[in-house]
Amino acid sequence: MNVLTRFDVASYFTRHMNTLNRKQRERFEREQRILDAARDIINNEGWEHLTMERVATAIEYSKGTVYNHFSSKEDVVGALSCRCMSRMIEMFERAANWQGNHRERMAAVGLAHALYSLLFPQEVQNMQTIKAPGIRQKISAEKQNEILQLEQRITGIVLDIIRDAMRDGDIPPNTQHVPDGIFLGLWSIGYGSQLLHLSDIPFSRLGLSAPLDMLWINSHKLLDSYNWRPLSSEMDIYALRDTLQITLFADEINQINNNT
Amino acid sequence: MNVLTRFDVASYFTRHMNTLNRKQRERFEREQRILDAARDIINNEGWEHLTMERVATAIEYSKGTVYNHFSSKEDVVGALSCRCMSRMIEMFERAANWQGNHRERMAAVGLAHALYSLLFPQEVQNMQTIKAPGIRQKISAEKQNEILQLEQRITGIVLDIIRDAMRDGDIPPNTQHVPDGIFLGLWSIGYGSQLLHLSDIPFSRLGLSAPLDMLWINSHKLLDSYNWRPLSSEMDIYALRDTLQITLFADEINQINNNT
DNA sequence: ACCTGAACACCGTTCAAGT
DNA sequence: ACCTGAACACCGTTCAAGT
């Protein structure tokens, strides 16, 4: 958990800290402490035990000071989501830069997505929470904008890979519903699998596999349906997964194993 | 909306009302009025404006009486979900009884799922809400059990169709990951599409199709990947959808059109 | 300029008193 | 046996007062 914390803040650090003066830096650091406190309360005791009073106590300031940083409780959760989405983008970019064919790059992004939900299960819940109507509008306009931009960067990474594959002929020309169909197919199957994974539906008791186990094979079946070369019959998708896990996501795998 | 209300309660009515005495019937009817009031508040003003006080006022009783029926606010939402899941099961059964080949029956269930989320968008949100940890445990044990049983009936309908297809050779024998893979693939893609549809992500502004538009084609592509005959190249999936909409779901289509 | 915490508003839940 | 609503607990949010 400590390893995770350092990692998490690190991406923000390099992006923001160097360009700020002392005042701004102190403010930024306290903001991170607020978010760390909120995250710990949510992770250890659940979302329903998160109160502004407890956050204030944890950072040894008063409630008023927390409100000096965030406009509402929802704003805190929104900021938490932004921080985690930054980490997700970092993982996606690492995947997209994989030196293999475009289908492998796409698979790497899918793997990043699955690993992300294993690393931050609570965060996926939070993202879902802030999407609920009536919650979202309590997030400051500034932060809503930041969320939107992060979402756009994420979709951009995926769409770029699909367009690369079209350009290089890995997907047959004149294929219908591209890039839309592939993009939404992969997104919905990944997103749905994550949420099913987090639900308390007793899959094994129903004689079913775990949703995340089937995600890998079903994503590849979908890509096969669009004739994205090489087809899964022309490659070893499990060997690919092993390679990607070792080469790109060794740190994440370690952390997932440590958490359980 | 009135049509919807009558329909909604009708399935409960036929199942429960006939076997109850006057006292129980009055109690059941008031419970329905509570749920109607809660549903209207959520639909018209959003989940965050739902308070026990307002529900009590709407049915012209006091808060104490509402608590006589439901153990908590979450319990009310849980009951609302049960009522809507009953309607979903009714739609699924209608679809599963379609007099066509198994792949068409499966497609009909998928269509039922998509129509359900268009009919009850708020309800899909509620289902998501009560899955959040800390909410679920506030629902009475009795109702949690009912939710579990309804979920099992839903999975049962779908798994039965897949098993029928295996038995009759529509899916090649010795296909890997059946029924698991097909089941989880369809569920995650349907579930994920629904939630993306309900999110406020501006798909059209990102140059993308609507998630529910791509759901139909991507579901069929997934079934193609499992070689479930007839393949979509051997049939007209859009003609099938039109037929199903007219034959099985004319009422639902009407209501969806009236709502918008 | 920044921080504090009392005060306010709101709402879920309970239960003694009423019918 | 059932219903009521005052009372309590809790928590998000504000802001006058303090440093």
Side-chain angles (χ1 to χ4, degrees):
Chain A
M1 191 51 99
N2 272 329
V3 180
L4 202 60
T5 308
R6 267 188 276 122
F7 242 108
D8 204 357
V9 176
S11 68
Y12 262 72
F13 182 88
T14 50
R15 205 169 315 129
H16 292 128
M17 287 290 267
N18 297 330
T19 60
L20 305 176
N21 61 34
R22 183 180 59 80
K23 266 275 171 55
Q24 293 171 308
R25 226 162 41 229
E26 281 170 8
R27 191 178 161 79
F28 175 80
E29 271 162 7
R30 188 161 62 189
E31 216 157 274
Q32 297 310 309
R33 289 186 54 217
I34 293 173
L35 295 181
D36 290 342
R39 179 203 55 203
D40 290 344
I41 294 171
I42 292 177
N43 285 343
N44 298 332
E45 304 172 52
W47 155 271
E48 72 278 14
H49 287 111
L50 176 66
T51 70
M52 296 303 252
E53 182 64 54
R54 294 210 41 197
V55 171
T57 307
I59 63 163
E60 297 182 287
Y61 280 94
S62 71
K63 282 181 290 184
T65 300
V66 178
Y67 276 95
N68 195 328
H69 285 268
F70 299 98
S71 66
S72 69
K73 181 180 165 179
E74 286 75 12
D75 205 38
V76 174
V77 183
L80 261 185
S81 288
C82 286
R83 207 169 69 164
C84 280
M85 284 170 84
S86 295
R87 162 105 185 202
M88 180 158 128
I89 288 173
E90 190 272 315
M91 287 172 71
F92 272 33
E93 282 174 345
R94 218 188 308 159
N97 288 327
W98 170 253
Q99 297 295 314
N101 62 48
H102 300 312
R103 173 143 176 173
E104 287 173 1
R105 293 169 65 216
M106 186 77 261
V109 172
L111 180 60
H113 196 212
L115 293 178
Y116 173 82
S117 78
L118 288 171
L119 264 177
F120 302 106
Q122 188 57 60
E123 175 49 27
V124 178
Q125 286 280 3
N126 291 349
M127 290 292 304
Q128 203 51 39
T129 303
I130 64 171
K131 285 215 184 310
I135 303 280
R136 185 132 198 175
Q137 65 213 43
K138 280 186 162 182
I139 299 177
S140 66
E142 184 193 32
K143 208 143 290 150
Q144 283 189 44
N145 214 311
E146 191 178 342
I147 292 172
L148 197 68
Q149 285 188 357
L150 289 167
E151 280 171 350
Q152 282 179 347
R153 281 182 64 194
I154 292 168
T155 59
I157 293 170
V158 178
L159 283 172
D160 279 349
I161 296 176
I162 301 175
R163 293 199 189 101
D164 287 345
M166 292 165 71
R167 184 200 57 208
D168 292 351
D170 295 358
I171 301 168
N174 304 322
T175 302
Q176 293 265 305
H177 312 296
V178 176
D180 299 50
I182 294 180
F183 180 83
L184 288 169
L186 287 177
W187 195 359
S188 59
I189 211 171
Y191 191 50
S193 297
Q194 278 188 5
L195 291 173
L196 289 177
H197 167 68
L198 290 175
S199 79
D200 48 8
I201 298 170
F203 293 101
S204 64
R205 205 143 55 82
L206 294 168
L208 293 168
S209 315
L212 289 187
D213 286 343
M214 286 295 117
L215 173 58
W216 189 247
I217 176 102
N218 276 329
S219 302
H220 279 287
K221 279 186 177 289
L222 191 72
L223 296 184
D224 287 345
S225 263
Y226 282 95
N227 291 306
W228 187 333
R229 303 274 160 178
L231 302 183
S232 59
S233 57
E234 302 161 349
M235 60 194 281
D236 183 337
I237 61 170
Y238 294 109
L240 172 62
R241 185 168 64 179
D242 289 342
T243 305
L244 293 172
Q245 284 182 342
I246 295 169
T247 317
L248 290 181
F249 303 116
D251 286 336
E252 282 78 6
I253 300 285
N254 260 331
Q255 288 168 35
I256 291 169
N257 290 336
N258 287 343
N259 287 355
T260 49
Chain B
M1 190 50 99
N2 273 329
V3 179
L4 202 59
T5 308
R6 266 188 277 122
F7 241 106
D8 204 358
V9 176
S11 67
Y12 263 74
F13 183 87
T14 49
R15 206 170 314 129
H16 293 127
M17 288 289 268
N18 297 329
T19 60
L20 306 175
N21 61 34
R22 182 180 60 79
K23 266 275 171 54
Q24 293 171 309
R25 225 162 42 229
E26 281 170 8
R27 190 178 161 79
F28 176 80
E29 271 163 6
R30 188 161 62 188
E31 216 156 276
Q32 297 309 310
R33 289 186 54 217
I34 292 173
L35 295 181
D36 290 342
R39 179 204 55 203
D40 290 344
I41 294 171
I42 292 177
N43 286 343
N44 297 332
E45 304 171 54
W47 154 271
E48 72 278 14
H49 287 111
L50 176 66
T51 71
M52 295 305 252
E53 181 65 54
R54 295 211 39 197
V55 170
T57 306
I59 63 164
E60 296 182 287
Y61 280 94
S62 70
K63 281 182 290 183
T65 300
V66 179
Y67 276 95
N68 195 328
H69 285 268
F70 299 98
S71 65
S72 70
K73 181 179 165 180
E74 286 76 10
D75 205 37
V76 175
V77 183
L80 260 186
S81 287
C82 286
R83 207 168 69 164
C84 279
M85 284 171 83
S86 295
R87 162 108 187 201
M88 180 157 128
I89 287 173
E90 189 272 315
M91 287 171 70
F92 272 33
E93 282 173 346
R94 218 187 308 158
N97 288 328
W98 170 253
Q99 297 295 315
N101 60 48
H102 300 313
R103 174 144 176 171
E104 287 172 1
R105 293 168 65 215
M106 187 76 260
V109 171
L111 181 60
H113 196 211
L115 293 178
Y116 173 82
S117 78
L118 288 171
L119 265 178
F120 302 106
Q122 189 57 61
E123 174 50 27
V124 178
Q125 285 281 4
N126 290 350
M127 291 292 305
Q128 203 52 37
T129 304
I130 64 171
K131 284 216 183 309
I135 303 279
R136 185 129 198 179
Q137 63 213 45
K138 279 187 163 181
I139 299 177
S140 64
E142 183 194 33
K143 207 143 292 152
Q144 283 189 44
N145 214 310
E146 190 178 345
I147 292 172
L148 199 67
Q149 285 189 356
L150 289 168
E151 280 171 350
Q152 282 179 346
R153 281 182 64 191
I154 292 168
T155 59
I157 293 171
V158 178
L159 282 172
D160 280 348
I161 297 177
I162 301 175
R163 293 200 189 100
D164 288 345
M166 292 165 70
R167 183 200 57 208
D168 293 350
D170 295 357
I171 301 167
N174 304 320
T175 302
Q176 293 266 305
H177 311 298
V178 176
D180 298 50
I182 294 179
F183 180 82
L184 288 168
L186 287 177
W187 195 359
S188 60
I189 209 171
Y191 191 50
S193 297
Q194 278 187 6
L195 292 173
L196 289 177
H197 166 70
L198 289 174
S199 78
D200 48 8
I201 298 169
F203 292 100
S204 65
R205 204 143 57 80
L206 295 168
L208 292 168
S209 315
L212 289 187
D213 287 342
M214 286 293 117
L215 173 57
W216 188 247
I217 177 101
N218 276 329
S219 302
H220 279 287
K221 279 186 177 289
L222 191 72
L223 297 184
D224 287 344
S225 262
Y226 281 95
N227 291 306
W228 186 332
R229 304 271 160 181
L231 301 182
S232 59
S233 58
E234 303 161 348
M235 60 194 281
D236 183 338
I237 62 170
Y238 294 109
L240 172 62
R241 185 169 63 179
D242 289 341
T243 306
L244 292 173
Q245 283 182 343
I246 295 168
T247 318
L248 290 181
F249 303 115
D251 286 337
E252 282 79 6
I253 299 285
N254 260 331
Q255 289 169 36
I256 291 169
N257 290 336
N258 287 343
N259 287 354
T260 50

